[in-house]
Amino acid sequence: MHGICWDYHNPANRPTKETFEMLGARLVRHTGRVDDPVFDAAQMWLEAAGIASVIVLDSDAFPDANYEHWTAWYADRYKPNLVVIGNEPDAYLYPDLAAKSVASWRMDPQSYWSFWDSCSRGWLSRQPQASLCVAGQMGLDGLWLKELL
């Protein structure tokens, strides 16, 4: 499956369905935002156009720490093909790389498990068959994942 990462807040980066088809893109990865009309329009357009979507729930996806509530809020509104819970939680292990990434949401494995538990309960309470994914990692060595598992 060919996919792209979509910055829907960039007015120059709002492709049409024809553009997706021309590129062979059948999947879009983008970040969730509560009460953001641009995100809402983008996700609803993807669903209506039949283009698969991946919603990443990074630190900016939540107005507060009531993660179970907010993931249920998302699940009541959207039907992505995959939900990625968190983003680069292992960044604290790689300070040189992390300094360059504003998107990282640093969490030790124990904190991440608690976060995952809250988010998965919220989403699965509304969409029991949803596909959820562990956050993308900054490090390729798997240290954080080994500790998590």
Side-chain angles (χ1 to χ4, degrees):
M1 181 175 286
H2 295 76
I4 63 169
C5 294
W6 187 12
D7 177 5
Y8 50 84
H9 275 285
N10 178 349
N13 187 15
R14 295 202 182 132
T16 63
K17 186 174 185 208
E18 292 75 24
T19 302
F20 279 99
E21 290 170 353
M22 179 190 70
L23 296 171
R26 296 182 300 276
L27 178 127
V28 172
R29 175 197 182 272
H30 62 160
T31 52
R33 298 293 180 263
V34 169
D35 289 334
D36 179 339
V38 180
F39 169 75
D40 184 68
Q43 181 61 29
M44 298 309 267
W45 179 81
L46 291 168
E47 291 177 18
I51 298 170
S53 64
V54 176
I55 295 177
V56 178
L57 299 177
D58 64 3
S59 61
D60 293 329
F62 301 95
D64 58 46
N66 191 350
Y67 305 125
E68 187 171 348
H69 165 79
W70 290 113
T71 51
W73 181 92
Y74 280 104
D76 284 341
R77 286 158 181 76
Y78 310 114
K79 305 287 186 267
N81 299 78
L82 181 68
V83 179
V84 178
I85 298 178
N87 190 53
E88 299 174 348
D90 64 333
Y92 67 92
L93 296 172
Y94 310 94
D96 292 342
L97 292 174
K100 299 173 187 170
S101 175
V102 297
S104 299
W105 193 2
R106 297 148 180 88
M107 286 186 208
D108 62 78
Q110 184 176 357
S111 298
Y112 183 80
W113 268 127
S114 177
F115 172 65
W116 171 273
D117 185 56
S118 294
C119 290
S120 63
R121 271 197 324 268
W123 202 290
L124 296 174
S125 73
R126 302 302 204 275
Q127 296 180 32
Q129 302 303 314
S131 295
L132 308 178
C133 181
V134 171
Q137 308 298 296
M138 183 169 275
L140 299 176
D141 53 21
L143 293 175
W144 187 89
L145 265 179
K146 287 177 189 172
E147 191 176 334
L148 179 70
L149 302 173

